[in-house]
Amino acid sequence: MTDHQQPLTFGVSLDPSVDKLPETRQLARAAVAGGLDYLAVQDHAYQPSYFDTWTLISHLAAETDRISFLTDVADLQLRPPTMLAKSAASLSVLTGGRVVLGVGGGPSPDAIAAMGGPRRGGPATVAYTAEALQIMRRALAGDAVRFRGEQHTVEGYQAGPVPPGPVPLWLGGQRPRMLSVAGRYADGWISPLNIYVPPAEVPARQRVIDEAARAAGRDPASIRRIYNVIGAIGPYRGATGLVGDVRVWVDMLTRWAVDLGFDTFVFWPVTAHRAQLEVFAAQVVPAVREQVRQIRGQR
Protein backbone atom coordinates (compact mmCIF):
# COMPACT_ATOMS: atom_id res chain seq x y z
CA MET A 1 0.00 0.00 0.00
CA THR A 2 1.25 3.47 -0.88
CA ASP A 3 2.29 5.92 1.80
CA HIS A 4 0.81 9.14 0.42
CA GLN A 5 3.18 11.27 2.54
CA GLN A 6 0.39 13.10 4.32
CA PRO A 7 1.31 14.72 7.66
CA LEU A 8 0.79 12.39 10.61
CA THR A 9 -1.93 13.41 13.06
CA PHE A 10 -3.24 11.80 16.23
CA GLY A 11 -6.37 11.95 18.34
CA VAL A 12 -8.25 10.30 21.16
CA SER A 13 -11.86 9.15 21.31
CA LEU A 14 -13.97 10.69 24.05
CA ASP A 15 -16.72 8.78 25.84
CA PRO A 16 -20.06 10.62 25.30
CA SER A 17 -21.74 8.89 28.27
CA VAL A 18 -23.69 11.27 30.48
CA ASP A 19 -22.30 9.72 33.67
CA LYS A 20 -18.71 10.05 32.43
CA LEU A 21 -18.74 13.80 31.82
CA PRO A 22 -16.16 14.73 34.51
CA GLU A 23 -13.73 12.13 33.16
CA THR A 24 -14.41 13.21 29.59
CA ARG A 25 -13.61 16.82 30.43
CA GLN A 26 -10.36 15.76 32.09
CA LEU A 27 -9.42 13.61 29.10
CA ALA A 28 -10.09 16.49 26.70
CA ARG A 29 -7.84 18.82 28.70
CA ALA A 30 -5.14 16.15 28.91
CA ALA A 31 -5.25 15.68 25.13
CA VAL A 32 -4.70 19.40 24.65
CA ALA A 33 -1.80 19.40 27.13
CA GLY A 34 -0.34 16.35 25.40
CA GLY A 35 -0.31 18.05 22.00
CA LEU A 36 -2.78 15.76 20.23
CA ASP A 37 -4.55 16.99 17.11
CA TYR A 38 -8.11 15.71 17.53
CA LEU A 39 -10.79 15.00 20.06
CA ALA A 40 -13.11 12.47 18.42
CA VAL A 41 -16.72 11.92 19.50
CA GLN A 42 -18.90 9.09 18.25
CA ASP A 43 -22.51 9.78 17.22
CA HIS A 44 -25.18 7.37 18.43
CA ALA A 45 -28.11 9.65 19.20
CA TYR A 46 -30.41 6.68 19.88
CA GLN A 47 -28.32 5.69 22.93
CA PRO A 48 -30.20 7.14 25.94
CA SER A 49 -27.03 7.20 28.04
CA TYR A 50 -25.15 9.38 25.52
CA PHE A 51 -25.09 13.14 25.12
CA ASP A 52 -25.95 14.55 21.72
CA THR A 53 -22.65 14.70 19.89
CA TRP A 54 -22.84 18.32 18.67
CA THR A 55 -23.96 19.56 22.08
CA LEU A 56 -21.10 17.77 23.82
CA ILE A 57 -18.55 19.03 21.29
CA SER A 58 -19.81 22.60 21.68
CA HIS A 59 -19.50 22.31 25.44
CA LEU A 60 -15.97 20.93 25.27
CA ALA A 61 -14.91 23.43 22.62
CA ALA A 62 -15.65 26.22 25.10
CA GLU A 63 -13.35 24.54 27.64
CA THR A 64 -10.39 23.89 25.32
CA ASP A 65 -8.21 25.66 22.80
CA ARG A 66 -6.08 24.70 19.79
CA ILE A 67 -7.28 21.11 19.44
CA SER A 68 -9.78 20.19 16.71
CA PHE A 69 -12.97 18.17 17.10
CA LEU A 70 -13.88 15.23 14.88
CA THR A 71 -17.33 13.71 14.62
CA ASP A 72 -16.45 10.02 14.40
CA VAL A 73 -18.90 9.74 12.66
CA ALA A 74 -22.04 11.91 12.40
CA ASP A 75 -25.11 9.90 11.39
CA LEU A 76 -26.38 11.33 8.10
CA GLN A 77 -29.75 9.59 8.43
CA LEU A 78 -30.56 11.63 11.54
CA ARG A 79 -28.73 14.83 10.54
CA PRO A 80 -29.85 16.24 7.15
CA PRO A 81 -26.86 17.49 5.13
CA THR A 82 -27.79 21.17 4.94
CA MET A 83 -28.41 21.33 8.69
CA LEU A 84 -25.29 19.31 9.45
CA ALA A 85 -23.22 21.65 7.29
CA LYS A 86 -24.80 24.62 9.06
CA SER A 87 -23.83 23.15 12.44
CA ALA A 88 -20.27 22.42 11.35
CA ALA A 89 -19.80 25.83 9.74
CA SER A 90 -21.20 27.59 12.80
CA LEU A 91 -18.93 25.72 15.18
CA SER A 92 -15.96 26.30 12.91
CA VAL A 93 -16.58 30.05 13.03
CA LEU A 94 -17.06 29.98 16.81
CA THR A 95 -13.88 27.95 17.42
CA GLY A 96 -11.59 29.49 14.84
CA GLY A 97 -11.67 26.48 12.53
CA ARG A 98 -11.35 23.59 14.99
CA VAL A 99 -13.81 21.27 13.25
CA VAL A 100 -13.45 18.18 11.08
CA LEU A 101 -16.72 16.74 9.86
CA GLY A 102 -16.67 12.96 9.85
CA VAL A 103 -19.90 11.46 8.54
CA GLY A 104 -21.38 8.05 7.87
CA GLY A 105 -24.42 6.52 6.27
CA GLY A 106 -25.84 5.33 9.60
CA PRO A 107 -24.95 2.02 11.27
CA SER A 108 -28.35 0.89 12.56
CA PRO A 109 -31.50 1.17 10.41
CA ASP A 110 -33.65 -0.11 13.27
CA ALA A 111 -32.34 2.44 15.77
CA ILE A 112 -32.67 5.23 13.21
CA ALA A 113 -36.26 4.24 12.47
CA ALA A 114 -37.00 4.11 16.21
CA MET A 115 -36.09 7.81 16.42
CA GLY A 116 -38.37 8.66 13.49
CA GLY A 117 -35.72 8.56 10.81
CA PRO A 118 -36.10 6.74 7.49
CA ARG A 119 -35.34 3.06 7.19
CA ARG A 120 -33.09 2.92 4.12
CA GLY A 121 -31.51 -0.18 2.66
CA GLY A 122 -27.91 -0.50 1.53
CA PRO A 123 -28.09 0.94 -2.01
CA ALA A 124 -30.37 3.79 -0.92
CA THR A 125 -28.03 4.62 1.98
CA VAL A 126 -25.03 4.75 -0.35
CA ALA A 127 -26.88 7.02 -2.78
CA TYR A 128 -28.09 9.20 0.11
CA THR A 129 -24.52 9.53 1.42
CA ALA A 130 -23.01 10.35 -1.98
CA GLU A 131 -25.57 13.10 -2.57
CA ALA A 132 -25.20 14.40 1.00
CA LEU A 133 -21.45 14.87 0.56
CA GLN A 134 -22.00 16.92 -2.59
CA ILE A 135 -24.59 19.08 -0.83
CA MET A 136 -22.42 19.61 2.23
CA ARG A 137 -19.42 20.52 0.11
CA ARG A 138 -21.37 23.39 -1.46
CA ALA A 139 -22.98 24.43 1.81
CA LEU A 140 -19.69 24.53 3.72
CA ALA A 141 -18.29 26.82 1.04
CA GLY A 142 -21.16 29.24 1.63
CA ASP A 143 -22.65 28.70 -1.83
CA ALA A 144 -26.28 28.78 -2.85
CA VAL A 145 -27.26 25.11 -2.89
CA ARG A 146 -29.67 23.74 -5.45
CA PHE A 147 -29.72 20.00 -5.77
CA ARG A 148 -32.15 17.46 -7.13
CA GLY A 149 -31.13 13.83 -6.82
CA GLU A 150 -32.50 10.41 -6.13
CA GLN A 151 -32.50 10.95 -2.35
CA HIS A 152 -32.29 14.73 -1.82
CA THR A 153 -33.97 17.84 -3.09
CA VAL A 154 -32.62 21.23 -2.05
CA GLU A 155 -34.47 24.03 -3.76
CA GLY A 156 -32.20 26.99 -3.07
CA TYR A 157 -30.49 27.10 0.31
CA GLN A 158 -28.21 30.10 0.75
CA ALA A 159 -25.56 28.64 3.01
CA GLY A 160 -23.74 30.40 5.78
CA PRO A 161 -21.89 31.35 7.87
CA VAL A 162 -18.71 30.69 5.92
CA PRO A 163 -16.03 28.90 7.98
CA PRO A 164 -12.64 30.60 8.37
CA GLY A 165 -11.09 27.75 6.37
CA PRO A 166 -12.29 24.61 4.60
CA VAL A 167 -14.00 22.10 6.89
CA PRO A 168 -12.64 18.67 5.93
CA LEU A 169 -15.30 16.10 4.98
CA TRP A 170 -14.24 12.61 6.03
CA LEU A 171 -16.41 9.57 5.33
CA GLY A 172 -16.61 6.45 7.47
CA GLY A 173 -17.37 3.09 5.91
CA GLN A 174 -15.96 -0.31 5.07
CA ARG A 175 -17.94 -1.84 2.20
CA PRO A 176 -16.98 -1.36 -1.45
CA ARG A 177 -19.82 0.92 -2.51
CA MET A 178 -19.29 3.30 0.41
CA LEU A 179 -15.52 3.21 -0.08
CA SER A 180 -16.08 4.23 -3.69
CA VAL A 181 -18.11 7.19 -2.45
CA ALA A 182 -15.16 8.18 -0.25
CA GLY A 183 -12.86 8.04 -3.26
CA ARG A 184 -15.18 10.17 -5.37
CA TYR A 185 -16.35 12.81 -2.92
CA ALA A 186 -14.65 12.78 0.51
CA ASP A 187 -11.50 14.47 1.81
CA GLY A 188 -10.70 11.42 3.93
CA TRP A 189 -11.66 7.85 4.72
CA ILE A 190 -12.37 6.94 8.36
CA SER A 191 -11.86 3.24 8.91
CA PRO A 192 -13.91 1.53 11.61
CA LEU A 193 -12.04 0.19 14.62
CA ASN A 194 -9.09 -2.12 14.02
CA ILE A 195 -11.12 -5.00 15.48
CA TYR A 196 -13.71 -4.55 12.72
CA VAL A 197 -11.31 -3.77 9.86
CA PRO A 198 -8.09 -5.58 10.83
CA PRO A 199 -4.83 -4.56 9.18
CA ALA A 200 -4.82 -7.54 6.82
CA GLU A 201 -8.07 -6.30 5.25
CA VAL A 202 -6.97 -2.69 4.83
CA PRO A 203 -5.06 -2.86 1.49
CA ALA A 204 -8.08 -4.13 -0.43
CA ARG A 205 -10.21 -1.32 0.95
CA GLN A 206 -7.56 1.28 0.19
CA ARG A 207 -7.41 0.07 -3.42
CA VAL A 208 -11.16 0.59 -3.83
CA ILE A 209 -10.78 4.19 -2.65
CA ASP A 210 -7.80 4.85 -4.89
CA GLU A 211 -9.47 3.40 -7.98
CA ALA A 212 -12.63 5.41 -7.38
CA ALA A 213 -10.59 8.58 -6.89
CA ARG A 214 -8.69 8.09 -10.15
CA ALA A 215 -11.92 7.34 -12.03
CA ALA A 216 -13.30 10.65 -10.74
CA GLY A 217 -10.17 12.53 -11.82
CA ARG A 218 -8.89 12.94 -8.27
CA ASP A 219 -5.43 12.31 -6.85
CA PRO A 220 -5.66 9.46 -4.30
CA ALA A 221 -2.85 11.10 -2.36
CA SER A 222 -5.16 14.00 -1.52
CA ILE A 223 -7.49 11.74 0.50
CA ARG A 224 -6.64 11.39 4.18
CA ARG A 225 -6.75 7.89 5.75
CA ILE A 226 -7.87 7.62 9.39
CA TYR A 227 -7.66 4.50 11.57
CA ASN A 228 -9.64 4.14 14.78
CA VAL A 229 -7.39 2.02 17.01
CA ILE A 230 -8.77 0.37 20.13
CA GLY A 231 -6.47 -1.28 22.62
CA ALA A 232 -4.22 -0.85 25.63
CA ILE A 233 -0.61 0.23 26.11
CA GLY A 234 0.99 -2.15 28.58
CA PRO A 235 0.49 -5.69 29.90
CA TYR A 236 -3.29 -5.63 30.17
CA ARG A 237 -4.95 -9.04 30.15
CA GLY A 238 -8.27 -9.39 28.44
CA ALA A 239 -8.00 -6.10 26.57
CA THR A 240 -9.25 -6.12 22.99
CA GLY A 241 -7.50 -4.74 19.91
CA LEU A 242 -3.85 -3.68 19.90
CA VAL A 243 -2.26 -4.63 23.22
CA GLY A 244 1.42 -4.33 24.05
CA ASP A 245 4.10 -2.08 25.44
CA VAL A 246 5.15 1.26 23.99
CA ARG A 247 7.55 -0.37 21.52
CA VAL A 248 4.79 -2.60 20.16
CA TRP A 249 2.53 0.40 19.66
CA VAL A 250 5.26 2.48 18.02
CA ASP A 251 6.24 -0.30 15.64
CA MET A 252 2.65 -1.16 14.70
CA LEU A 253 1.48 2.41 14.09
CA THR A 254 4.64 3.08 12.08
CA ARG A 255 3.97 0.00 9.98
CA TRP A 256 0.33 0.95 9.49
CA ALA A 257 1.42 4.39 8.33
CA VAL A 258 4.16 3.40 5.87
CA ASP A 259 2.76 0.03 4.73
CA LEU A 260 -1.02 0.49 4.94
CA GLY A 261 -1.23 4.18 4.05
CA PHE A 262 -2.82 5.57 7.21
CA ASP A 263 -1.88 9.11 8.22
CA THR A 264 -4.15 9.66 11.22
CA PHE A 265 -4.69 7.47 14.28
CA VAL A 266 -7.51 7.92 16.80
CA PHE A 267 -6.80 6.07 20.05
CA TRP A 268 -9.69 4.32 21.84
CA PRO A 269 -8.22 3.28 25.22
CA VAL A 270 -10.04 0.35 26.82
CA THR A 271 -8.79 0.98 30.34
CA ALA A 272 -7.39 3.76 32.56
CA HIS A 273 -8.16 6.34 29.90
CA ARG A 274 -6.25 9.28 31.39
CA ALA A 275 -3.09 7.29 32.12
CA GLN A 276 -3.24 5.57 28.73
CA LEU A 277 -3.65 8.90 26.94
CA GLU A 278 -0.64 10.37 28.70
CA VAL A 279 1.58 7.45 27.63
CA PHE A 280 0.20 7.61 24.10
CA ALA A 281 0.83 11.36 23.77
CA ALA A 282 4.20 11.48 25.52
CA GLN A 283 5.83 8.28 24.26
CA VAL A 284 3.99 6.67 21.34
CA VAL A 285 3.15 9.71 19.21
CA PRO A 286 6.61 11.36 19.07
CA ALA A 287 8.31 8.02 18.43
CA VAL A 288 5.94 7.18 15.56
CA ARG A 289 6.47 10.62 14.05
CA GLU A 290 10.24 10.17 14.18
CA GLN A 291 10.25 6.64 12.77
CA VAL A 292 7.96 7.58 9.90
CA ARG A 293 10.08 10.66 9.20
CA GLN A 294 13.21 8.52 8.97
CA ILE A 295 11.58 5.92 6.73
CA ARG A 296 10.14 8.54 4.40
CA GLY A 297 13.53 10.21 4.21
CA GLN A 298 15.09 6.97 2.99
CA ARG A 299 12.55 6.42 0.22
Side-chain angles (χ1 to χ4, degrees), residues 24-278:
T24 297
R25 284 172 171 155
Q26 291 175 2
L27 199 66
R29 289 193 287 267
V32 175
L36 294 189
D37 303 287
Y38 302 113
L39 294 170
V41 183
Q42 58 187 290
D43 184 27
H44 298 288
Y46 34 78
Q47 292 285 0
S49 62
Y50 285 2
F51 284 113
D52 168 69
T53 296
W54 278 111
T55 306
L56 177 59
I57 287 176
S58 298
H59 170 75
L60 295 173
E63 296 195 345
T64 57
D65 57 18
R66 186 196 61 76
I67 201 164
S68 292
F69 288 86
L70 164 65
T71 50
D72 190 16
V73 293
D75 190 332
L76 284 170
Q77 305 296 326
L78 294 173
R79 302 181 186 276
T82 49
M83 197 63 231
L84 185 55
K86 177 85 171 184
S87 298
S90 297
L91 193 58
S92 182
V93 170
L94 291 168
T95 61
R98 296 191 289 135
V99 176
V100 176
L101 185 52
V103 299
S108 177
D110 290 342
I112 289 165
M115 287 192 74
R119 188 190 298 274
R120 291 187 171 90
T125 296
V126 172
Y128 183 94
T129 303
E131 293 179 6
L133 287 170
Q134 296 171 71
I135 291 167
M136 288 188 291
R137 178 81 65 196
R138 300 174 194 177
L140 287 167
D143 296 337
V145 183
R146 291 179 176 82
F147 189 94
R148 188 174 298 275
E150 177 186 328
Q151 298 289 330
H152 297 272
T153 299
V154 182
E155 296 185 349
Y157 167 53
Q158 178 55 59
V162 179
V167 174
L169 272 173
W170 294 353
L171 177 63
Q174 60 173 310
R175 295 179 180 173
R177 287 179 297 188
M178 198 64 83
L179 295 172
S180 293
V181 172
R184 293 197 305 271
Y185 301 114
D187 298 315
W189 169 50
I190 301 176
S191 170
L193 287 167
N194 53 311
I195 56 174
Y196 301 132
V197 178
E201 298 180 7
V202 168
R205 287 170 166 81
Q206 297 276 38
R207 283 193 292 271
V208 173
I209 295 170
D210 289 353
E211 290 168 4
R214 293 189 189 99
R218 306 181 69 202
D219 180 1
S222 69
I223 301 172
R224 301 295 299 244
R225 319 292 169 119
I226 301 90
Y227 209 8
N228 284 293
V229 182
I230 194 169
I233 307 170
Y236 292 94
R237 294 184 178 180
T240 189
L242 178 59
V243 180
D245 60 18
V246 168
R247 177 47 53 190
V248 168
W249 273 77
V250 170
D251 289 346
M252 290 304 297
L253 295 193
T254 298
R255 186 182 308 170
W256 293 348
V258 298
D259 294 341
L260 298 186
F262 287 113
D263 55 66
T264 297
F265 298 99
V266 176
F267 180 29
W268 294 57
V270 296
T271 184
H273 292 193
R274 175 72 179 271
Q276 289 276 290
L277 168 64
E278 291 176 349

Side-chain angles (χ1 to χ4, degrees), residues 5-25:
Q5 305 285 313
Q6 289 274 10
L8 289 184
T9 53
F10 298 85
V12 65
S13 179
L14 300 179
D15 189 337
S17 298
V18 173
D19 62 359
K20 297 288 182 63
L21 181 58
E23 293 90 339
T24 297
R25 284 172 171 155

